[in-house]
């Protein structure tokens, strides 16, 4: 089984900050990683797939990068609507979510 | 427009079997490449993938739960199902179904989730 180690578990940011979340896979996942945003009481929403491909309609302040085992997700110029939890998902070999990162306002 | 909606018993007792239904529209599970997956989330915790079923009836299960899970579909009624046997309090969670496509591999469309509580 592929394990996904996501960090940090929580993150505090001010409006306008850039924040970065990382996910490390237990083996090479060939860029098959997606990122989700989840707000309280709601289902997760897909933001990015295949490492860096933005879903249609998602603002360009969201971005992803990485290769091999190491991947990152960034939000530049954090806005109040970005306050949420974020999860990575590897889908190279079966499916595994990272543990999540809760983004809060400083 | 793709929509999915989960339904379940709400509450059940330990050792019982949990039966969940996902009713969807906007796509067909008889179409090449289409699939439905189940994901759960205990309150305040992270997401856990459970199982996927594909248009060709291929099935994939989370290895840690495989012995307790059964996924199935009713193509004519646009439904997918998940059964979890011998539940205990650790199975208390919101259960989501989501659409997945071969070639994409990600859960792009999600239902609203259904809360299942296991309690004696």
């Amino acid at each position: 089984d592929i394990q996904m180690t996501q960090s940090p578990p929580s993150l505090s940011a001010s409006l306008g900050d850039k924040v970065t979340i990382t996910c490390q896979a237990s083996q090479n996942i060939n860029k098959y990683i997606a990122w989700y945003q989840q707000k309280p009481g709601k289902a997760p929403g897909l933001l990015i797939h295949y490492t860096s491909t933005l879903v249609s309609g998602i603002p360009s302040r969201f971005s992803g990068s990485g290769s091999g085992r190491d991947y990152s997700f960034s939000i530049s110029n954090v806005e109040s609507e970005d306050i949420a939890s974020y999860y990575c998902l590897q889908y190279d070999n079966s499916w595994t979510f990272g543990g999540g990162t809760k983004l809060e306002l400083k | 427009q793709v929509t999915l909606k989960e339904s379940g018993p709400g509450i059940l007792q330990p050792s019982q079997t949990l039966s969940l239904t996902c009713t969807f529209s906007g796509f067909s599970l008889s179409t090449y490449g289409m699939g439905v997956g189940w994901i759960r989330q205990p309150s305040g915790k992270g997401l856990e993938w459970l199982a996927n079923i594909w248009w060709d009836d291929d099935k994939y299960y989370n290895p840690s739960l495989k012995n307790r899970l059964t996924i199935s579909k009713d193509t004519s009624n646009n439904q997918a199902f998940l059964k979890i046997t011998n539940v205990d309090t650790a199975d208390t969670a919101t259960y989501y179904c989501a659409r997945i496509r071969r070639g994409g591999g990600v859960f792009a469309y999600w239902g609203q989730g259904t809360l299942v509580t296991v309690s004696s």
Side-chain angles (χ1 to χ4, degrees), chain B residues 1 11 24 26 28-29 35 38-39 42 46 53 62 65 68 70 73 79 84-85 89 97 104 108-109 113:
Chain B
Q1 180 187 3
I11 187 166
F24 54 86
S28 173
L29 262 181
W38 287 92
I39 301 102
I53 189 165
N62 184 321
L65 293 162
R68 299 174 54 214
T70 303
K73 61 182 172 70
Q79 292 181 316
I84 306 178
T85 59
T89 55
C97 64
Y109 297 91

Side-chain angles (χ1 to χ4, degrees), chain A residues 23-42:
Chain A
C23 268
Q24 183 176 67
S26 56
Q27 65 189 64
N28 179 11
I29 56 170
N30 299 299
K31 295 195 169 188
Y32 288 105
I33 188 168
W35 294 92
Y36 290 84
Q37 177 191 69
Q38 186 180 32
K39 296 185 177 180
K42 300 294 186 182

Side-chain angles (χ1 to χ4, degrees), chain A residues 1 34 36 38 42-44 46 49 87 89 91 94-95 97 99, chain B residues 39 41 45-47 49 52 63 96 100 104-107 110-111:
Chain A
D1 306 359
Y36 290 84
Q38 186 180 32
K42 300 294 186 182
L46 179 65
H49 62 96
Y87 294 89
L89 168 71
Y91 55 103
S94 191
W95 292 263
F97 287 94
Chain B
I39 301 102
Q41 183 174 38
K45 297 189 178 180
L47 300 164
W49 170 72
N52 292 347
Y96 296 100
I100 189 169
V106 295
F107 304 105
W110 294 61

Side-chain angles (χ1 to χ4, degrees), chain A residues 83-97:
Chain A
I83 301 308
S85 293
Y86 293 87
Y87 294 89
C88 64
L89 168 71
Q90 74 79 18
Y91 55 103
D92 178 61
N93 185 335
S94 191
W95 292 263
T96 314
F97 287 94

